């Protein structure tokens, strides 16, 4: 499966940060990594990021409303993102689930909105530290998967990102065995629900991926890419992670520190 590496900039980046996108785009042009690459800047940068990406990197929004338009101050619709040139959107990120009190049903509605607007939806799921420590991770993730992915999803419109909340931005990651176990559990659920297409639906791992751990994590079974937060902000680190995902040691970022 062609890996997908996505960089989530969260609430980081102003106009001058577009130089990082230009640098990654140039690196892609020179090395041609065998991976789908996306960057999710804040809404304010989406249209300019599309220009900076020169069709080499997909640009997406970090969330979208379920409706195309209306009286929802501060929200942005999937159609608006598409109009700005975006080709993807993250839905159900744990930080949005928390700050917007998103239920699984609301995440599913946003996933449907993404499809309606022709955007690839990256649907995030993952357990809290308490759920993890209490041995509930698989049950929580199965329920989120069931509730957040609409029945008409398929492998060309939807990607799942497993992001244990306790691993996001903390420098902590699950053991490789835990990642493999969870990803094979997610794969089994997807195949049970979507049949053969469920085996093609990409499952990303997210949570403190960096240049040191990316190779090991990305080589694990049923890990089809990564959702990268902090380490996606600098072109050098991000390109190095992308290079790792292709399994080719000759693909090294010229910007690597
Ligand atoms: C994220 O924002 O989805 C994420 C995984 O962040 P980080 O890589 O910084 O843990």
């Amino acid at each position: 499966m062609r890996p997908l590496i996505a960089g989530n900039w969260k609430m980081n980046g102003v106009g001058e940060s577009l130089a990082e996108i230009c640098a990654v785009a140039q690196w892609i042009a020179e090395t041609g990594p065998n991976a789908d690459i996306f960057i999710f800047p804040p809404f304010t940068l989406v249209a300019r990021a599309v220009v900076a990406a020169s069709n080499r990197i997909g640009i997406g929004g970090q969330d979208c409303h379920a409706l195309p338009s209306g009286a929802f101050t501060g929200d942005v619709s999937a159609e608006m993102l598409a109009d700005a040139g975006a080709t993807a959107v993250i839905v159900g990120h744990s930080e949005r689930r928390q700050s917007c009190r998103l239920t699984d049903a609301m995440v599913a509605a946003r996933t449907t909105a993404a499809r309606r607007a022709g955007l690839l939806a990256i649907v995030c799921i993952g357990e809290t530290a308490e759920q993890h420590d209490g041995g509930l991770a698989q049950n929580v993730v199965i329920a989120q998967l069931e509730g957040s992915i609409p029945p008409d999803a398929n492998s060309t419109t939807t990607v799942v990102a497993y992001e244990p909340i306790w691993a996001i931005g903390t420098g902590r990651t699950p053991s490789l065995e835990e990642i493999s176990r969870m990803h094979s559990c997610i794969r089994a659920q997807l195949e049970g629900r979507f049949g053969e297409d469920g085996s093609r639906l990409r499952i990303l791992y997210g949570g403190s991926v960096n240049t040191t751990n990316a190779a090991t994590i990305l080589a694990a079974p049923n890990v089809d890419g990564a959702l990268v937060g902090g380490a996606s902000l600098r072109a050098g680190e991000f390109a190095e992670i992308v290079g790792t995902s292709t399994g080719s040691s000759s693909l090294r970022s010229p910007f690597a520190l």
Side-chain angles (χ1 to χ4, degrees):
M1 191 137 33
R2 188 174 159 90
L4 189 157
I5 309 295
N8 173 18
W9 280 15
K10 311 192 187 209
M11 198 176 73
N12 295 293
V14 289
E16 68 182 22
S17 320
L18 294 168
E20 304 295 329
I21 294 181
C22 291
V24 175
Q26 190 194 325
W27 174 77
I28 292 169
E30 285 163 10
T31 58
N34 180 32
D36 293 329
I37 301 158
F38 287 85
I39 290 180
F40 296 83
F43 291 135
T44 49
L45 289 181
V46 165
R48 283 180 284 168
V50 168
V51 176
S54 309
N55 288 322
R56 296 197 174 95
I57 304 165
I59 299 297
Q62 295 174 14
D63 197 2
C64 67
H65 197 277
L67 295 175
S69 62
F72 302 102
T73 304
D75 277 315
V76 168
S77 72
E79 282 77 4
M80 289 168 176
L81 287 171
D83 180 58
T87 53
V89 63
I90 296 172
V91 291
H93 191 284
S94 60
E95 289 155 12
R96 297 296 290 173
R97 283 183 186 259
Q98 203 178 10
S99 65
C100 300
R101 295 170 199 261
L102 295 180
T103 62
D104 288 337
M106 289 160 81
V107 175
R110 288 168 189 223
T111 308
T112 298
R115 183 185 178 150
R116 187 184 65 220
L119 303 178
L120 177 73
I122 299 190
V123 185
C124 302
I125 53 175
E127 81 283 358
T128 64
E130 293 70 33
Q131 291 162 339
H132 176 261
D133 295 346
L136 298 170
Q138 285 205 359
N139 287 348
V140 168
V141 163
I142 290 170
Q144 285 181 337
L145 202 55
E146 185 67 26
S148 307
I149 309 270
D152 59 355
N154 66 56
S155 60
T156 56
T157 61
T158 312
V159 170
V160 173
Y162 168 58
E163 299 206 298
I165 296 170
W166 52 274
I168 297 177
T170 60
R172 292 173 62 207
T173 57
S175 69
L176 204 56
E177 198 192 324
E178 281 181 298
I179 294 175
S180 303
R181 216 180 312 124
M182 186 60 88
H183 278 240
S184 70
C185 165
I186 294 170
R187 176 68 66 214
Q189 295 300 314
L190 291 172
E191 286 175 349
R193 214 167 145 207
F194 298 107
E196 207 191 309
D197 195 46
S199 64
R200 289 191 289 267
L201 222 145
R202 285 182 283 195
I203 309 170
L204 314 184
Y205 168 78
S208 296
V209 172
N210 57 40
T211 52
T212 307
N213 62 24
T216 320
I217 292 174
L218 288 163
N222 289 307
V223 176
D224 308 310
L227 180 51
V228 185
S232 71
L233 292 171
R234 284 165 300 281
E237 276 178 74
F238 188 58
E240 196 171 338
I241 291 169
V242 174
T244 299
S245 77
T246 65
S248 164
S249 57
S250 63
L251 286 179
R252 301 295 289 185
S253 162
F255 314 104
L257 300 174

